[in-house]
Amino acid sequence: MDLFVLLGTFIAGLVVGIPVAITLALSSLAYVLYAGLPLVVIPQKMFAGMDSFVLLCIPGFILAGNLMNMGGITERIVRLASAMVGWMRGGLGLTNVAASMLFGGISGTAVADAASIGGMMIPGMKKAGYPADFSAAITAASSTVGPIIPPSVPMIIVGALSGISVGQMFMAGAIPGLLMGVAMMVTAWLIARKRNFPRQPWQGFRELLRSFTGAFWAVAMTGLIIGGLLSGLATPTETAIVACIYAFVVGAFVYRDLPIRQVPKIVIDSAVSAAGILVLVGFANVFGWILVAERIPQAIASGVLSITDNRFVVILLINLILLFVGMFMETIAALIILFVPLMTLAQGVGVDPLHFATFAVLNLMIGLTTPPVGVCLFICANIARLPLAPVIRAIAPFIVTNIIVLLLVSYFPPLATWLPSILEN
């Protein structure tokens, strides 16, 4: 009955439309009160969930991304992407994906990508003659590459949950992220050929060199982050702080597009965003602790394994569960609640934890573009000033493409584990 109170309150909150963090708090409170536990257990477990040194990466990378974005990075990245692929059929669509791949190495969040790239690309594509629904759909789909290519906020959360090195998690996402980006570019090109979308003239090697020179310091930030982690000279948290200093210097003194007077506001906005994520982590940890206390992870693992212990089938079931949950729940909350139970299940059939963590994040990134609660879908539809229905229809081919990449990563572990193993040796 205690568990019924927890899950009933949680589902009711989601149905009513209460924010996920508040829903997790209310359902946990209902369980604690009904079970007669002391209320002090809630702040204790919240603090335990947030008391992780590696989670300090989150405000660091958010601040670094915001500083670079306000410092003129988005325009330079879009210009570089346009010079690289804009001359092909449907070039602005390909530019959109390429820009998201480059931007993802800086922001680490899909929502920041969708808002920043979408704010520029969607109006630009519409003006160039692209359908509004396609413009919004490709922006929403490509934004999911950001949290796969390092750095990545969801990967940091997974590292804190599993004990896997954040550096390993970052490297594990590199190849799947590139695969997703290339697959979406191919899909966009095929759609563009079929529907005869416009193309831009080749701008020449001089423009390519100029745009690369202009975006060099922005793109180099990704190299700084990865280099710091792989060299062992800095922890992920220290790397995030170095990235903040780098972003400030480049934005204010190299690009000179970052007004010094705006820095306090950027810091405050970044702190608010990071605080929202950490509060969500805290409430989700309370909820997850209750599930563990009720032995839900063991029940799920034993229940599935009693039906089948076929590794192929179990991986498929895990993917279906995460894809379904991603349609309704925020990524970080879903990770904290479901990661441990499903990792227990995956390890029961011999799945490597690093491999499982990678395709679990991929699943939930796809969920950011699926109705009814696809955050990136809502952002891009709003920018394009469209109802959701046409954007959902337009994004369907990209969702299929991403699911194909997900299945490749799920059933071919070296796509996730090869790069971390090479870099370790």
Side-chain angles (χ1 to χ4, degrees), residues 39-60:
L39 290 176
V40 72
V41 74
I42 293 179
Q44 285 177 343
K45 296 302 176 183
M46 282 186 67
F47 179 77
M50 295 185 287
D51 185 25
S52 173
F53 183 74
V54 74
L55 292 181
L56 287 175
C57 297
I58 294 175

Side-chain angles (χ1 to χ4, degrees), residues 177-201:
L178 292 174
L179 275 177
M180 284 180 70
V182 171
M184 281 189 281
M185 291 178 77
V186 171
T187 303
W189 180 75
L190 291 173
I191 293 173
R193 287 198 62 185
K194 181 179 180 181
R195 300 175 63 178
N196 198 30
F197 287 164
R199 62 192 299 174
Q200 298 172 284

Side-chain angles (χ1 to χ4, degrees), residues 144-347:
T144 59
V145 176
I148 306 300
I149 295 176
S152 163
V153 171
M155 294 290 193
I156 295 169
I157 298 292
V158 166
L161 289 171
S162 63
I164 300 171
S165 160
V166 172
Q168 279 193 315
M169 287 300 311
F170 282 179
M171 293 302 98
I175 293 176
L178 292 174
L179 275 177
M180 284 180 70
V182 171
M184 281 189 281
M185 291 178 77
V186 171
T187 303
W189 180 75
L190 291 173
I191 293 173
R193 287 198 62 185
K194 181 179 180 181
R195 300 175 63 178
N196 198 30
F197 287 164
R199 62 192 299 174
Q200 298 172 284
W202 165 244
Q203 299 176 54
F205 287 105
R206 179 174 295 180
E207 169 60 18
L208 182 60
L209 180 61
R210 284 176 179 172
S211 61
F212 176 77
T213 303
F216 173 78
W217 294 107
V219 177
M221 185 172 172
T222 304
L224 173 71
I225 292 168
I226 296 175
L229 291 171
L230 295 183
S231 66
L233 296 175
T235 66
T237 302
E238 292 165 346
T239 302
I241 302 306
V242 172
C244 291
I245 298 171
Y246 176 91
F248 172 74
V249 172
V250 169
F253 302 110
V254 178
Y255 290 157
R256 297 182 181 180
D257 286 337
L258 177 63
I260 301 296
R261 65 181 180 275
Q262 290 291 323
V263 172
K265 182 179 184 301
I266 295 170
V267 172
I268 292 171
D269 291 344
S270 301
V272 170
S273 299
I277 292 174
L278 291 175
V279 167
L280 176 58
V281 168
F283 284 136
N285 190 67
V286 179
F287 193 93
W289 168 77
I290 294 171
L291 293 181
V292 171
E294 294 283 345
R295 299 186 61 80
I296 299 302
Q298 294 86 342
I300 292 174
S302 60
V304 172
L305 294 177
S306 67
I307 299 172
T308 178
D309 59 357
N310 184 292
R311 187 167 176 267
F312 183 94
V313 176
V314 170
I315 290 176
L316 180 61
L317 288 174
I318 290 173
N319 280 324
L320 291 174
I321 290 170
L322 288 171
L323 285 172
F324 178 77
V325 170
M327 294 171 64
F328 298 94
M329 192 180 297
E330 199 275 341
T331 302
I332 294 174
L335 279 173
I336 294 174
I337 293 169
L338 291 175
F339 186 82
V340 173
L342 293 180
M343 187 168 71
T344 303
L345 174 58
Q347 288 181 302

